[in-house]
Amino acid sequence: MKRITMLFFGAAAMLLSSCDTSLLETAPDDQYVESNFWNTEAAANAALTGCYTVLHYDGLFGGTATPLWEEGVSPNAYCYSGGTLGFDIIGDGQQSASTGGIISGRWHDCYQGIGRCNTFLANVDLVPDMNETLRERMKAEAHFLRALYYFELQAYYGGVPIVLDAPDPDAQSDLPRAPRQEVIQQVLADLAIAEAGLPLKYNADDMGRATKGAALALKARLLLYEASPLFNDANDVSRWQAAAAAAKAVIDLAPQAGYGLFSDYRGLFLPANENNKEVIFDVQFIFPDEGNSFDLICAQYNTNAPLLGLAEAYDMANGLPITDPLSGYDPANAYANRDPRLYATIVYPGDTYKGRLVKPSTYAQTGYAMKKYSIYDTAKPPADKADLKSGQSETNFIVLRYADILLMYAEALNESDPGNADILTYLNMVRARVGMPDIAAGQTQAEMRETIRHERRVELAGEALYYNDVRRWKTAEVVMNGPIYTWDHKVIETRNFDPNRDYWWPLPQGELDLNSNLEQNPGY
């Protein structure tokens, strides 16, 4: 979307925000209003750009590194600052309807995106002399984005109001929460339209737009979540079968779409390799048009500081966990001969980072820093990149990537068809990319379940996925209860997770004040 975000959006922003209805009483020729906006293909493109823009700097996957901070509400990292939009509060289990920050911000961002998609879908057919193939493709993009926004809402809040009409600035919403399953069905309906109408690929000018593969991949993630223990109390195997089929559909599409594992795991998250074959859908940034703060957060503020538990989760290079007496692990040289993904993800004491030796005091919060999604590595950066400020970074945030699909497929297969040879095939494919040895055959279903969960943790660490993983597995009440540790085993704090309450976020108090028909989640 580096190309998309540079399109002029002022007209669409005026249209899609609430406005003074007196503007509609005349037909000015020096500004856009509803009566003269939907007249050109360029205007339609600008409005669709507005639907994507919610993903960016002040939105869902941008902000001041919002997705990176989500690691801090999982066992992977620690958000030590109140400036982390409330992620520190959620990590401590102290969130409330009045917490604000991400709890109110995510609700707002998603409904802003939904409103823009609804406005686009309600009006794009008014544009005269528009290429019909393009019009239908753009509608499919809007359906994908609306599905993504509703997916995010239901994943954190549960059931939410379903709004499918364009916003009316004169009306006050009084819709109640729809049952969560109705939201799921709406996401699936939007994704079906998106899948049918989206292309496999785009040329360079349209890079970053939603594709058929993105629609299928989001469907796979949705169905995997739906099959997981949090949403599937009866362990209905048919749900796991549906999730496996959805992930396999992406794998089967890979040869046509050009998907595969990028050869360099570290390079996958660097600007030089953006839009590589592993990326199915990402949020694209370019400075100075629109940047992010990922480098500032990782390398300077260190407000997504990795925890000892994550560092210890990486096996030895021989494939054995560090707790195995035969692994060769040496506590005095704790970071030697480990899974290469550790070195690509975490900065640790004794490492070389930004041309300097890392001391335990360098990153005082935990002793560690997050390297993934930072441009910095062992070499000293050039002067113009040494200390990037807020909004100056431009690494794309990957929402859906091929390795995740392979892990989804392995997980769903293990639950629906344990022992299927594809489980090891795709797990080992992900591990082979970084030179880790194959997982041996012969594990029980329960053992393989833990293996897959471990593999997801180390492969996807730092990517804002593990919090939802431990929630959907219903293990958060175990792994998010108790002390968390620095590199030298010192307790930072003791976390609390109430299983009767904390699997869901509260609805923001401001929304409850505006709409008396909204019912709060239990325990808040």
Side-chain angles (χ1 to χ4, degrees), residues 68-74 76-92 296-307 361-370 484 486 492-493 495:
L68 276 60
W69 278 333
E70 190 150 328
E71 287 295 289
V73 292
S74 82
N76 285 350
Y78 171 52
C79 290
Y80 69 90
S81 168
T84 55
L85 300 182
F87 283 113
D88 54 328
I89 298 172
I90 299 170
D92 290 339
L296 182 71
I297 295 302
C298 292
Q300 292 162 251
Y301 286 172
N302 190 219
T303 45
N304 61 334
L307 291 166
S361 59
T362 305
Y363 298 105
Q365 286 71 41
T366 67
Y368 302 107
M370 193 70 74
I484 56 175
T486 62
I492 302 170
E493 65 182 17
R495 286 176 164 172

mmCIF file of all heavy atoms in Angstrom, residues 68-74 76-92 296-307 361-370 484 486 492-493 495:
data_model
loop_
_atom_site.group_PDB
_atom_site.id
_atom_site.type_symbol
_atom_site.label_atom_id
_atom_site.label_comp_id
_atom_site.label_asym_id
_atom_site.label_seq_id
_atom_site.Cartn_x
_atom_site.Cartn_y
_atom_site.Cartn_z
ATOM 1 N N LEU A 68 3.022 -3.999 18.016
ATOM 2 C CA LEU A 68 4.187 -4.483 18.740
ATOM 3 C C LEU A 68 3.923 -4.546 20.233
ATOM 4 O O LEU A 68 4.385 -5.454 20.922
ATOM 5 C CB LEU A 68 5.395 -3.583 18.451
ATOM 6 C CG LEU A 68 6.196 -3.891 17.178
ATOM 7 C CD1 LEU A 68 5.319 -3.765 15.937
ATOM 8 C CD2 LEU A 68 7.395 -2.979 17.061
ATOM 9 N N TRP A 69 3.172 -3.581 20.743
ATOM 10 C CA TRP A 69 2.875 -3.567 22.172
ATOM 11 C C TRP A 69 1.970 -4.719 22.594
ATOM 12 O O TRP A 69 1.947 -5.091 23.769
ATOM 13 C CB TRP A 69 2.226 -2.237 22.563
ATOM 14 C CG TRP A 69 3.231 -1.145 22.770
ATOM 15 C CD1 TRP A 69 4.529 -1.268 23.150
ATOM 16 C CD2 TRP A 69 2.997 0.257 22.615
ATOM 17 N NE1 TRP A 69 5.133 -0.047 23.244
ATOM 18 C CE2 TRP A 69 4.210 0.918 22.916
ATOM 19 C CE3 TRP A 69 1.897 1.019 22.250
ATOM 20 C CZ2 TRP A 69 4.346 2.301 22.876
ATOM 21 C CZ3 TRP A 69 2.018 2.399 22.204
ATOM 22 C CH2 TRP A 69 3.239 3.029 22.513
ATOM 23 N N GLU A 70 1.247 -5.287 21.652
ATOM 24 C CA GLU A 70 0.349 -6.381 22.038
ATOM 25 C C GLU A 70 1.113 -7.585 22.568
ATOM 26 O O GLU A 70 0.559 -8.397 23.301
ATOM 27 C CB GLU A 70 -0.555 -6.777 20.869
ATOM 28 C CG GLU A 70 -1.642 -7.725 21.284
ATOM 29 C CD GLU A 70 -2.905 -7.607 20.457
ATOM 30 O OE1 GLU A 70 -3.240 -6.504 19.993
ATOM 31 O OE2 GLU A 70 -3.580 -8.633 20.292
ATOM 32 N N GLU A 71 2.391 -7.720 22.211
ATOM 33 C CA GLU A 71 3.197 -8.782 22.815
ATOM 34 C C GLU A 71 3.232 -8.653 24.336
ATOM 35 O O GLU A 71 3.383 -9.645 25.046
ATOM 36 C CB GLU A 71 4.626 -8.733 22.270
ATOM 37 C CG GLU A 71 4.771 -9.211 20.850
ATOM 38 C CD GLU A 71 4.454 -10.684 20.678
ATOM 39 O OE1 GLU A 71 5.245 -11.524 21.141
ATOM 40 O OE2 GLU A 71 3.412 -10.989 20.071
ATOM 41 N N GLY A 72 3.088 -7.421 24.834
ATOM 42 C CA GLY A 72 3.176 -7.178 26.270
ATOM 43 C C GLY A 72 1.984 -7.640 27.065
ATOM 44 O O GLY A 72 1.999 -7.572 28.300
ATOM 45 N N VAL A 73 0.929 -8.107 26.398
ATOM 46 C CA VAL A 73 -0.184 -8.712 27.133
ATOM 47 C C VAL A 73 -0.151 -10.232 26.965
ATOM 48 O O VAL A 73 -1.131 -10.916 27.255
ATOM 49 C CB VAL A 73 -1.552 -8.143 26.687
ATOM 50 C CG1 VAL A 73 -1.659 -6.694 27.097
ATOM 51 C CG2 VAL A 73 -1.773 -8.275 25.185
ATOM 52 N N SER A 74 0.984 -10.737 26.518
ATOM 53 C CA SER A 74 1.205 -12.177 26.405
ATOM 54 C C SER A 74 2.413 -12.540 27.268
ATOM 55 O O SER A 74 3.086 -11.662 27.807
ATOM 56 C CB SER A 74 1.482 -12.539 24.935
ATOM 57 O OG SER A 74 2.838 -12.301 24.610
ATOM 58 N N ASN A 76 5.166 -13.225 26.298
ATOM 59 C CA ASN A 76 6.387 -12.946 25.536
ATOM 60 C C ASN A 76 7.107 -11.678 25.940
ATOM 61 O O ASN A 76 8.315 -11.566 25.744
ATOM 62 C CB ASN A 76 6.065 -12.857 24.044
ATOM 63 C CG ASN A 76 5.821 -14.217 23.425
ATOM 64 O OD1 ASN A 76 6.073 -15.245 24.047
ATOM 65 N ND2 ASN A 76 5.320 -14.222 22.202
ATOM 66 N N ALA A 77 6.380 -10.670 26.427
ATOM 67 C CA ALA A 77 7.003 -9.356 26.604
ATOM 68 C C ALA A 77 6.351 -8.581 27.729
ATOM 69 O O ALA A 77 5.307 -8.976 28.280
ATOM 70 C CB ALA A 77 6.935 -8.560 25.295
ATOM 71 N N TYR A 78 6.971 -7.444 28.027
ATOM 72 C CA TYR A 78 6.563 -6.591 29.145
ATOM 73 C C TYR A 78 6.428 -5.167 28.651
ATOM 74 O O TYR A 78 7.376 -4.592 28.103
ATOM 75 C CB TYR A 78 7.628 -6.689 30.240
ATOM 76 C CG TYR A 78 7.493 -5.714 31.386
ATOM 77 C CD1 TYR A 78 6.301 -5.576 32.088
ATOM 78 C CD2 TYR A 78 8.590 -4.956 31.787
ATOM 79 C CE1 TYR A 78 6.199 -4.693 33.154
ATOM 80 C CE2 TYR A 78 8.511 -4.070 32.856
ATOM 81 C CZ TYR A 78 7.301 -3.941 33.533
ATOM 82 O OH TYR A 78 7.204 -3.070 34.586
ATOM 83 N N CYS A 79 5.232 -4.608 28.794
ATOM 84 C CA CYS A 79 5.014 -3.188 28.535
ATOM 85 C C CYS A 79 5.086 -2.469 29.880
ATOM 86 O O CYS A 79 4.160 -2.558 30.686
ATOM 87 C CB CYS A 79 3.644 -2.960 27.888
ATOM 88 S SG CYS A 79 3.508 -3.558 26.209
ATOM 89 N N TYR A 80 6.172 -1.768 30.094
ATOM 90 C CA TYR A 80 6.400 -1.205 31.428
ATOM 91 C C TYR A 80 5.853 0.194 31.588
ATOM 92 O O TYR A 80 5.843 0.751 32.682
ATOM 93 C CB TYR A 80 7.898 -1.186 31.744
ATOM 94 C CG TYR A 80 8.694 -0.208 30.908
ATOM 95 C CD1 TYR A 80 8.895 1.101 31.337
ATOM 96 C CD2 TYR A 80 9.243 -0.587 29.692
ATOM 97 C CE1 TYR A 80 9.614 1.995 30.556
ATOM 98 C CE2 TYR A 80 9.965 0.294 28.925
ATOM 99 C CZ TYR A 80 10.149 1.593 29.362
ATOM 100 O OH TYR A 80 10.861 2.486 28.598
ATOM 101 N N SER A 81 5.404 0.804 30.510
ATOM 102 C CA SER A 81 5.060 2.225 30.567
ATOM 103 C C SER A 81 3.580 2.450 30.391
ATOM 104 O O SER A 81 2.911 1.779 29.603
ATOM 105 C CB SER A 81 5.818 2.977 29.461
ATOM 106 O OG SER A 81 5.313 4.284 29.300
ATOM 107 N N GLY A 82 3.045 3.421 31.106
ATOM 108 C CA GLY A 82 1.663 3.837 30.923
ATOM 109 C C GLY A 82 1.420 4.434 29.563
ATOM 110 O O GLY A 82 0.266 4.629 29.161
ATOM 111 N N GLY A 83 2.490 4.724 28.820
ATOM 112 C CA GLY A 83 2.357 5.247 27.473
ATOM 113 C C GLY A 83 2.080 4.184 26.437
ATOM 114 O O GLY A 83 2.080 4.455 25.241
ATOM 115 N N THR A 84 1.856 2.944 26.866
ATOM 116 C CA THR A 84 1.631 1.848 25.924
ATOM 117 C C THR A 84 0.147 1.622 25.678
ATOM 118 O O THR A 84 -0.290 0.502 25.435
ATOM 119 C CB THR A 84 2.280 0.555 26.433
ATOM 120 O OG1 THR A 84 1.803 0.273 27.753
ATOM 121 C CG2 THR A 84 3.789 0.677 26.462
ATOM 122 N N LEU A 85 -0.634 2.683 25.748
ATOM 123 C CA LEU A 85 -2.054 2.644 25.389
ATOM 124 C C LEU A 85 -2.863 1.663 26.221
ATOM 125 O O LEU A 85 -3.897 1.163 25.792
ATOM 126 C CB LEU A 85 -2.221 2.315 23.902
ATOM 127 C CG LEU A 85 -1.581 3.267 22.898
ATOM 128 C CD1 LEU A 85 -1.881 2.811 21.475
ATOM 129 C CD2 LEU A 85 -2.067 4.694 23.102
ATOM 130 N N GLY A 86 -2.399 1.373 27.411
ATOM 131 C CA GLY A 86 -3.135 0.475 28.295
ATOM 132 C C GLY A 86 -2.763 -0.985 28.164
ATOM 133 O O GLY A 86 -3.307 -1.823 28.880
ATOM 134 N N PHE A 87 -1.821 -1.324 27.288
ATOM 135 C CA PHE A 87 -1.398 -2.717 27.192
ATOM 136 C C PHE A 87 -0.759 -3.182 28.499
ATOM 137 O O PHE A 87 -0.888 -4.347 28.882
ATOM 138 C CB PHE A 87 -0.423 -2.909 26.031
ATOM 139 C CG PHE A 87 -1.077 -2.939 24.679
ATOM 140 C CD1 PHE A 87 -0.852 -1.936 23.762
ATOM 141 C CD2 PHE A 87 -1.922 -3.980 24.328
ATOM 142 C CE1 PHE A 87 -1.452 -1.969 22.509
ATOM 143 C CE2 PHE A 87 -2.525 -4.025 23.080
ATOM 144 C CZ PHE A 87 -2.292 -3.007 22.161
ATOM 145 N N ASP A 88 -0.050 -2.285 29.176
ATOM 146 C CA ASP A 88 0.532 -2.645 30.465
ATOM 147 C C ASP A 88 -0.556 -2.998 31.474
ATOM 148 O O ASP A 88 -0.411 -3.924 32.271
ATOM 149 C CB ASP A 88 1.408 -1.506 30.989
ATOM 150 C CG ASP A 88 0.679 -0.175 31.056
ATOM 151 O OD1 ASP A 88 -0.218 0.068 30.220
ATOM 152 O OD2 ASP A 88 0.991 0.639 31.946
ATOM 153 N N ILE A 89 -1.666 -2.268 31.435
ATOM 154 C CA ILE A 89 -2.775 -2.509 32.364
ATOM 155 C C ILE A 89 -3.439 -3.849 32.059
ATOM 156 O O ILE A 89 -3.769 -4.627 32.967
ATOM 157 C CB ILE A 89 -3.786 -1.347 32.286
ATOM 158 C CG1 ILE A 89 -3.104 -0.046 32.718
ATOM 159 C CG2 ILE A 89 -5.006 -1.630 33.149
ATOM 160 C CD1 ILE A 89 -3.963 1.193 32.489
ATOM 161 N N ILE A 90 -3.636 -4.147 30.780
ATOM 162 C CA ILE A 90 -4.235 -5.431 30.400
ATOM 163 C C ILE A 90 -3.313 -6.574 30.809
ATOM 164 O O ILE A 90 -3.761 -7.616 31.306
ATOM 165 C CB ILE A 90 -4.515 -5.464 28.890
ATOM 166 C CG1 ILE A 90 -5.495 -4.354 28.498
ATOM 167 C CG2 ILE A 90 -5.084 -6.825 28.476
ATOM 168 C CD1 ILE A 90 -5.639 -4.155 27.003
ATOM 169 N N GLY A 91 -2.011 -6.391 30.613
ATOM 170 C CA GLY A 91 -1.056 -7.425 31.004
ATOM 171 C C GLY A 91 -1.118 -7.750 32.482
ATOM 172 O O GLY A 91 -0.890 -8.891 32.890
ATOM 173 N N ASP A 92 -1.445 -6.754 33.285
ATOM 174 C CA ASP A 92 -1.571 -6.947 34.735
ATOM 175 C C ASP A 92 -2.950 -7.442 35.149
ATOM 176 O O ASP A 92 -3.194 -7.684 36.326
ATOM 177 C CB ASP A 92 -1.298 -5.629 35.469
ATOM 178 C CG ASP A 92 0.159 -5.224 35.399
ATOM 179 O OD1 ASP A 92 0.999 -6.106 35.150
ATOM 180 O OD2 ASP A 92 0.462 -4.032 35.587
ATOM 181 N N LEU A 296 11.643 3.168 16.977
ATOM 182 C CA LEU A 296 11.676 3.930 18.222
ATOM 183 C C LEU A 296 11.266 3.046 19.396
ATOM 184 O O LEU A 296 11.890 3.044 20.457
ATOM 185 C CB LEU A 296 10.749 5.138 18.108
ATOM 186 C CG LEU A 296 10.681 6.083 19.310
ATOM 187 C CD1 LEU A 296 11.978 6.873 19.435
ATOM 188 C CD2 LEU A 296 9.503 7.037 19.159
ATOM 189 N N ILE A 297 10.203 2.280 19.196
ATOM 190 C CA ILE A 297 9.687 1.415 20.258
ATOM 191 C C ILE A 297 10.675 0.304 20.583
ATOM 192 O O ILE A 297 10.965 0.029 21.750
ATOM 193 C CB ILE A 297 8.337 0.815 19.833
ATOM 194 C CG1 ILE A 297 7.273 1.910 19.673
ATOM 195 C CG2 ILE A 297 7.864 -0.250 20.815
ATOM 196 C CD1 ILE A 297 7.037 2.739 20.901
ATOM 197 N N CYS A 298 11.204 -0.342 19.553
ATOM 198 C CA CYS A 298 12.078 -1.499 19.780
ATOM 199 C C CYS A 298 13.446 -1.107 20.319
ATOM 200 O O CYS A 298 13.930 -1.695 21.292
ATOM 201 C CB CYS A 298 12.253 -2.277 18.478
ATOM 202 S SG CYS A 298 10.771 -3.110 17.889
ATOM 203 N N ALA A 299 14.065 -0.120 19.683
ATOM 204 C CA ALA A 299 15.483 0.129 19.947
ATOM 205 C C ALA A 299 15.753 1.211 20.974
ATOM 206 O O ALA A 299 16.819 1.232 21.580
ATOM 207 C CB ALA A 299 16.196 0.487 18.646
ATOM 208 N N GLN A 300 14.795 2.123 21.188
ATOM 209 C CA GLN A 300 15.060 3.226 22.103
ATOM 210 C C GLN A 300 14.149 3.188 23.335
ATOM 211 O O GLN A 300 14.624 3.135 24.457
ATOM 212 C CB GLN A 300 14.911 4.564 21.353
ATOM 213 C CG GLN A 300 16.009 4.768 20.312
ATOM 214 C CD GLN A 300 15.658 5.830 19.288
ATOM 215 O OE1 GLN A 300 15.394 5.544 18.140
ATOM 216 N NE2 GLN A 300 15.659 7.083 19.714
ATOM 217 N N TYR A 301 12.859 3.157 23.107
ATOM 218 C CA TYR A 301 11.947 3.137 24.253
ATOM 219 C C TYR A 301 11.897 1.771 24.916
ATOM 220 O O TYR A 301 11.677 1.666 26.109
ATOM 221 C CB TYR A 301 10.541 3.540 23.817
ATOM 222 C CG TYR A 301 10.369 5.011 23.521
ATOM 223 C CD1 TYR A 301 9.199 5.484 22.956
ATOM 224 C CD2 TYR A 301 11.375 5.934 23.809
ATOM 225 C CE1 TYR A 301 9.017 6.836 22.683
ATOM 226 C CE2 TYR A 301 11.211 7.280 23.537
ATOM 227 C CZ TYR A 301 10.036 7.732 22.973
ATOM 228 O OH TYR A 301 9.855 9.049 22.698
ATOM 229 N N ASN A 302 12.044 0.679 24.094
ATOM 230 C CA ASN A 302 12.044 -0.674 24.638
ATOM 231 C C ASN A 302 10.793 -0.947 25.467
ATOM 232 O O ASN A 302 10.833 -1.566 26.523
ATOM 233 C CB ASN A 302 13.315 -0.896 25.476
ATOM 234 C CG ASN A 302 13.506 -2.350 25.876
ATOM 235 O OD1 ASN A 302 13.920 -2.616 26.989
ATOM 236 N ND2 ASN A 302 13.203 -3.280 25.001
ATOM 237 N N THR A 303 9.642 -0.460 24.959
ATOM 238 C CA THR A 303 8.389 -0.668 25.689
ATOM 239 C C THR A 303 7.666 -1.940 25.269
ATOM 240 O O THR A 303 6.518 -2.146 25.652
ATOM 241 C CB THR A 303 7.459 0.541 25.510
ATOM 242 O OG1 THR A 303 7.448 0.932 24.132
ATOM 243 C CG2 THR A 303 7.900 1.706 26.361
ATOM 244 N N ASN A 304 8.317 -2.771 24.484
ATOM 245 C CA ASN A 304 7.821 -4.125 24.218
ATOM 246 C C ASN A 304 8.943 -5.099 24.556
ATOM 247 O O ASN A 304 9.331 -5.937 23.762
ATOM 248 C CB ASN A 304 7.353 -4.276 22.771
ATOM 249 C CG ASN A 304 8.459 -4.041 21.755
ATOM 250 O OD1 ASN A 304 9.429 -3.326 22.027
ATOM 251 N ND2 ASN A 304 8.334 -4.631 20.572
ATOM 252 N N ALA A 305 9.461 -4.978 25.775
ATOM 253 C CA ALA A 305 10.674 -5.689 26.178
ATOM 254 C C ALA A 305 10.421 -7.189 26.330
ATOM 255 O O ALA A 305 9.559 -7.597 27.125
ATOM 256 C CB ALA A 305 11.185 -5.116 27.502
ATOM 257 N N PRO A 306 11.144 -8.034 25.592
ATOM 258 C CA PRO A 306 10.976 -9.484 25.735
ATOM 259 C C PRO A 306 11.283 -9.949 27.155
ATOM 260 O O PRO A 306 12.088 -9.344 27.868
ATOM 261 C CB PRO A 306 11.988 -10.060 24.745
ATOM 262 C CG PRO A 306 12.181 -8.976 23.739
ATOM 263 C CD PRO A 306 12.091 -7.693 24.524
ATOM 264 N N LEU A 307 10.647 -11.034 27.546
ATOM 265 C CA LEU A 307 10.817 -11.615 28.876
ATOM 266 C C LEU A 307 11.715 -12.848 28.825
ATOM 267 O O LEU A 307 11.909 -13.461 27.769
ATOM 268 C CB LEU A 307 9.456 -12.005 29.449
ATOM 269 C CG LEU A 307 8.528 -10.841 29.816
ATOM 270 C CD1 LEU A 307 7.113 -11.332 30.041
ATOM 271 C CD2 LEU A 307 9.054 -10.105 31.047
ATOM 272 N N SER A 361 22.459 -3.623 31.457
ATOM 273 C CA SER A 361 21.870 -2.312 31.754
ATOM 274 C C SER A 361 21.420 -1.560 30.506
ATOM 275 O O SER A 361 20.750 -0.536 30.602
ATOM 276 C CB SER A 361 22.892 -1.451 32.509
ATOM 277 O OG SER A 361 24.074 -1.283 31.734
ATOM 278 N N THR A 362 21.802 -2.056 29.335
ATOM 279 C CA THR A 362 21.440 -1.357 28.102
ATOM 280 C C THR A 362 19.935 -1.284 27.950
ATOM 281 O O THR A 362 19.371 -0.253 27.570
ATOM 282 C CB THR A 362 22.047 -2.068 26.877
ATOM 283 O OG1 THR A 362 23.460 -2.190 27.045
ATOM 284 C CG2 THR A 362 21.755 -1.285 25.601
ATOM 285 N N TYR A 363 19.268 -2.390 28.275
ATOM 286 C CA TYR A 363 17.802 -2.439 28.239
ATOM 287 C C TYR A 363 17.341 -2.840 29.634
ATOM 288 O O TYR A 363 17.133 -4.017 29.934
ATOM 289 C CB TYR A 363 17.326 -3.406 27.160
ATOM 290 C CG TYR A 363 17.787 -2.953 25.787
ATOM 291 C CD1 TYR A 363 18.837 -3.596 25.132
ATOM 292 C CD2 TYR A 363 17.207 -1.859 25.178
ATOM 293 C CE1 TYR A 363 19.274 -3.149 23.891
ATOM 294 C CE2 TYR A 363 17.634 -1.410 23.937
ATOM 295 C CZ TYR A 363 18.661 -2.055 23.303
ATOM 296 O OH TYR A 363 19.091 -1.611 22.086
ATOM 297 N N ALA A 364 17.218 -1.830 30.455
ATOM 298 C CA ALA A 364 17.093 -2.042 31.899
ATOM 299 C C ALA A 364 15.790 -2.715 32.308
ATOM 300 O O ALA A 364 15.706 -3.284 33.394
ATOM 301 C CB ALA A 364 17.219 -0.696 32.625
ATOM 302 N N GLN A 365 14.758 -2.664 31.445
ATOM 303 C CA GLN A 365 13.464 -3.214 31.856
ATOM 304 C C GLN A 365 13.543 -4.729 32.069
ATOM 305 O O GLN A 365 13.111 -5.244 33.093
ATOM 306 C CB GLN A 365 12.382 -2.888 30.808
ATOM 307 C CG GLN A 365 11.941 -1.444 30.823
ATOM 308 C CD GLN A 365 13.015 -0.525 30.274
ATOM 309 O OE1 GLN A 365 13.683 -0.844 29.290
ATOM 310 N NE2 GLN A 365 13.211 0.609 30.915
ATOM 311 N N THR A 366 14.085 -5.453 31.098
ATOM 312 C CA THR A 366 14.192 -6.907 31.224
ATOM 313 C C THR A 366 15.580 -7.422 30.854
ATOM 314 O O THR A 366 15.862 -8.607 31.027
ATOM 315 C CB THR A 366 13.173 -7.620 30.307
ATOM 316 O OG1 THR A 366 13.521 -7.386 28.941
ATOM 317 C CG2 THR A 366 11.753 -7.132 30.572
ATOM 318 N N GLY A 367 16.433 -6.563 30.315
ATOM 319 C CA GLY A 367 17.725 -6.984 29.796
ATOM 320 C C GLY A 367 17.671 -7.316 28.322
ATOM 321 O O GLY A 367 18.717 -7.464 27.682
ATOM 322 N N TYR A 368 16.463 -7.430 27.766
ATOM 323 C CA TYR A 368 16.276 -7.778 26.366
ATOM 324 C C TYR A 368 15.616 -6.627 25.610
ATOM 325 O O TYR A 368 14.952 -5.770 26.203
ATOM 326 C CB TYR A 368 15.369 -9.006 26.227
ATOM 327 C CG TYR A 368 15.838 -10.242 26.933
ATOM 328 C CD1 TYR A 368 15.197 -10.696 28.095
ATOM 329 C CD2 TYR A 368 16.904 -10.997 26.440
ATOM 330 C CE1 TYR A 368 15.601 -11.856 28.738
ATOM 331 C CE2 TYR A 368 17.324 -12.155 27.085
ATOM 332 C CZ TYR A 368 16.664 -12.582 28.238
ATOM 333 O OH TYR A 368 17.078 -13.715 28.872
ATOM 334 N N ALA A 369 15.756 -6.662 24.286
ATOM 335 C CA ALA A 369 14.998 -5.776 23.408
ATOM 336 C C ALA A 369 14.479 -6.595 22.238
ATOM 337 O O ALA A 369 15.014 -7.661 21.919
ATOM 338 C CB ALA A 369 15.862 -4.619 22.899
ATOM 339 N N MET A 370 13.441 -6.080 21.590
ATOM 340 C CA MET A 370 12.861 -6.761 20.433
ATOM 341 C C MET A 370 13.574 -6.282 19.166
ATOM 342 O O MET A 370 13.607 -5.085 18.871
ATOM 343 C CB MET A 370 11.370 -6.471 20.350
ATOM 344 C CG MET A 370 10.624 -7.374 19.382
ATOM 345 S SD MET A 370 10.472 -9.103 19.938
ATOM 346 C CE MET A 370 9.226 -8.955 21.221
ATOM 347 N N ILE A 484 6.668 -12.588 36.314
ATOM 348 C CA ILE A 484 7.438 -12.517 35.067
ATOM 349 C C ILE A 484 8.850 -12.054 35.420
ATOM 350 O O ILE A 484 9.056 -11.346 36.414
ATOM 351 C CB ILE A 484 6.785 -11.585 34.035
ATOM 352 C CG1 ILE A 484 6.564 -10.175 34.610
ATOM 353 C CG2 ILE A 484 5.472 -12.177 33.548
ATOM 354 C CD1 ILE A 484 6.037 -9.175 33.596
ATOM 355 N N THR A 486 13.142 -10.924 34.495
ATOM 356 C CA THR A 486 14.192 -10.326 33.694
ATOM 357 C C THR A 486 15.179 -11.405 33.257
ATOM 358 O O THR A 486 15.072 -12.572 33.659
ATOM 359 C CB THR A 486 14.953 -9.266 34.498
ATOM 360 O OG1 THR A 486 15.576 -9.905 35.625
ATOM 361 C CG2 THR A 486 14.018 -8.173 34.991
ATOM 362 N N ILE A 492 9.836 -9.121 37.931
ATOM 363 C CA ILE A 492 9.435 -7.764 37.576
ATOM 364 C C ILE A 492 8.127 -7.420 38.258
ATOM 365 O O ILE A 492 7.980 -6.379 38.902
ATOM 366 C CB ILE A 492 9.253 -7.640 36.048
ATOM 367 C CG1 ILE A 492 10.535 -8.007 35.315
ATOM 368 C CG2 ILE A 492 8.792 -6.229 35.672
ATOM 369 C CD1 ILE A 492 10.338 -8.146 33.813
ATOM 370 N N GLU A 493 7.170 -8.283 38.108
ATOM 371 C CA GLU A 493 5.852 -8.107 38.709
ATOM 372 C C GLU A 493 5.142 -9.453 38.674
ATOM 373 O O GLU A 493 5.602 -10.396 38.022
ATOM 374 C CB GLU A 493 5.036 -7.065 37.950
ATOM 375 C CG GLU A 493 4.689 -7.473 36.525
ATOM 376 C CD GLU A 493 3.922 -6.413 35.762
ATOM 377 O OE1 GLU A 493 3.931 -5.252 36.190
ATOM 378 O OE2 GLU A 493 3.326 -6.764 34.720
ATOM 379 N N ARG A 495 1.681 -11.120 37.524
ATOM 380 C CA ARG A 495 0.500 -10.876 36.703
ATOM 381 C C ARG A 495 -0.708 -11.647 37.231
ATOM 382 O O ARG A 495 -0.564 -12.681 37.898
ATOM 383 C CB ARG A 495 0.767 -11.278 35.251
ATOM 384 C CG ARG A 495 1.665 -10.303 34.506
ATOM 385 C CD ARG A 495 1.990 -10.785 33.119
ATOM 386 N NE ARG A 495 2.521 -9.710 32.289
ATOM 387 C CZ ARG A 495 3.021 -9.877 31.082
ATOM 388 N NH1 ARG A 495 3.064 -11.084 30.539
ATOM 389 N NH2 ARG A 495 3.478 -8.844 30.391
#
